[in-house]
Amino acid sequence: MSELKQILELWKRAQAANEDVCLATVVGIEGSAYRRPGARMLLTASGLRAGTVSGGCLEAEIAKKAWWLTEQGSSLQRYSSFFDDDGELPYGLGCGGTVMVLLERGEPAARTLEALRQSVEERVASAIVTATTEESSGTRLILGEDGAVLFQREENEFVLSVAREALARGTTVPLHGHVQGAFVEYVAPPPALYVFGAGDDAQPLVEFASALGWHVTVADGRSQLARADRFPQAARVTGLREALDVVAPGDSAVVMTHSYEQDREVLRKLLRVEMKYLGILGPRRRTERLVEEVAPEVGLSAEQCLSRLHSPVGLDLGGHSPAAIALSIAAELQAVLAGREAKKLSVAKLIHA
């Protein structure tokens, strides 16, 4: 289960028990930090928590003080992790930066959590505008994908305009971006991943994808394999044609049915769609044979079809077990979805300077 789903599950349990919660959100960083803006942790009045806002160094400190810090409303806290030659490392971080964490209770927290729930369960986007100055902090506006105002502290046309811009661009605006003293967060719906094939080797891939927060559909024409009890972490388990009918441009798919006929049927449909990622399990020569048969039917050349495919699927990580293969596929998918080249961080341009 992804971190966000864990947060939402804890929130639902707290709601059922009529229990107060406090939501901690990273709204800005200066220098290096383990988590990026948008990372969250949920605390309950009974002492439970889900999610993280650091590498495990700040959580206990926040949990200890969050309730009295938010007695009068939202609270913005700064946690420094710069080295101090005269003392111990603050909070055990030592990353060389500052993390800004917003603590909120009551309606702002509940409305933010509801927006996150809609993102995960209904796959709709939203934009959240948070004030991040010492004089003024807290959620100011939550704007739904359809333009509906889900929460508003006070009417402000400028705040509304930057939220609309975030939705239009589909990007988060970091602290100290073009909106000074504010964090404008684009809450994206989880990426849709279709796993065509419900064999045993699909199970670890679905587990990895679910842990990464993706919305996973498993599809297979064999009813004895396409069963929800075999894939409890999938959002949906269905037949082959039912899934093919709803795949949309921008979605991702991995074809691993181990059935030549089913793979051909899937490729016949998916090669016509502008997929974000389309991978197929099996030797390259098998894929080339499939493509030669399908290409004339989809109006593309064999070369064009192959250029749309990740074949063989996955990164060269070594290992031949189902879990190792699933890891290699999930890693390649993550890199493609994030727009990254898969390379070692030790030789890549630093992302945490």
Side-chain angles (χ1 to χ4, degrees):
M1 184 185 297
S2 70
E3 181 180 71
L4 182 52
K5 287 181 180 178
Q6 292 173 10
I7 289 173
L8 293 173
E9 284 300 313
L10 181 58
W11 176 50
K12 291 176 183 178
R13 286 162 55 192
Q15 281 185 308
N18 197 27
E19 186 178 4
D20 195 9
V21 299
C22 181
L23 184 63
T25 305
V26 177
V27 293
I29 60 172
E30 295 172 355
S32 295
Y34 185 79
R35 299 301 306 269
R36 317 311 290 170
R40 289 183 170 88
M41 176 176 68
L42 185 69
L43 307 169
T44 70
S46 61
L48 299 178
R49 70 188 191 205
T52 61
V53 292
S54 74
C57 311
L58 293 178
E59 284 70 16
E61 174 72 12
I62 291 172
K64 182 171 62 176
K65 298 180 179 179
W67 298 100
W68 67 263
L69 284 171
T70 54
E71 282 182 350
Q72 303 302 317
S74 61
S75 175
L76 183 67
Q77 299 296 305
R78 298 169 64 90
Y79 298 93
S80 175
S81 63
F82 284 96
F83 290 98
D84 183 353
D85 294 335
D86 299 323
E88 296 181 356
L89 293 179
Y91 309 115
L93 295 172
C95 299
T98 299
V99 181
M100 282 154 277
V101 180
L102 175 70
L103 306 174
E104 285 190 307
R105 292 158 62 181
E107 187 181 10
R111 295 298 182 91
T112 298
L113 288 161
E114 173 59 20
L116 296 174
R117 186 203 64 78
Q118 291 181 19
S119 169
V120 170
E121 298 181 5
E122 301 173 22
R123 303 199 67 242
V124 293
S126 60
I128 302 175
V129 182
T130 305
T132 57
T133 64
E134 293 183 4
E135 298 78 20
S136 175
S137 65
T139 302
R140 287 293 177 265
L141 174 71
I142 303 177
L143 191 66
E145 186 176 73
D146 59 358
V149 175
L150 306 179
F151 174 78
Q152 190 173 45
R153 179 86 64 175
E154 69 277 323
E155 290 189 15
N156 186 307
E157 190 58 38
F158 178 70
V159 170
L160 190 61
S161 69
V162 296
R164 287 170 176 161
E165 181 184 352
L167 283 171
R169 291 169 53 188
T171 57
T172 288
V173 180
L175 184 69
H176 303 313
H178 75 274
V179 184
Q180 293 293 324
F183 173 50
V184 186
E185 179 184 8
Y186 173 71
V187 180
L193 172 64
Y194 290 82
V195 178
F196 289 96
D200 291 349
D201 58 346
Q203 291 173 322
L205 176 58
V206 172
E207 291 173 6
F208 281 127
S210 176
L212 288 165
W214 302 337
H215 186 276
V216 186
T217 297
V218 178
D220 202 304
R222 297 159 291 194
S223 59
Q224 74 274 18
L225 295 178
R227 303 197 321 265
D229 62 296
R230 286 172 46 78
F231 298 93
Q233 293 173 313
R236 187 185 182 201
V237 181
T238 187
L240 201 69
R241 293 178 183 175
E242 290 82 356
L244 289 173
D245 286 342
V246 295
V247 171
D251 292 343
S252 299
V254 177
V255 184
M256 50 191 307
T257 71
H258 298 284
S259 162
Y260 192 85
E261 294 303 319
Q262 286 200 89
D263 282 3
R264 182 167 56 190
E265 182 179 355
V266 172
L267 288 182
R268 188 181 291 120
K269 172 61 182 291
L270 297 189
L271 285 170
R272 291 186 170 101
V273 182
E274 291 292 332
M275 306 291 293
K276 181 72 173 181
Y277 176 98
L278 178 55
I280 181 167
L281 190 69
R284 178 77 172 184
R285 61 182 179 276
R286 178 181 184 273
T287 302
E288 290 173 346
R289 180 183 170 191
L290 279 165
V291 163
E292 287 174 1
E293 295 179 17
V294 171
E297 301 177 43
V298 300
L300 298 170
S301 67
E303 291 75 17
Q304 288 174 315
C305 289
L306 288 170
S307 70
R308 298 186 178 193
L309 287 168
H310 292 263
S311 173
V313 68
L315 300 179
D316 183 12
L317 302 180
H320 301 286
S321 69
I325 293 169
L327 176 61
S328 76
I329 296 171
E332 183 178 52
L333 254 165
Q334 173 62 33
V336 171
L337 294 177
R340 300 271 186 181
E341 292 184 28
K343 60 177 66 174
K344 295 192 296 183
L345 288 177
S346 59
V347 299
K349 183 179 179 180
L350 291 178
I351 60 173
H352 299 286

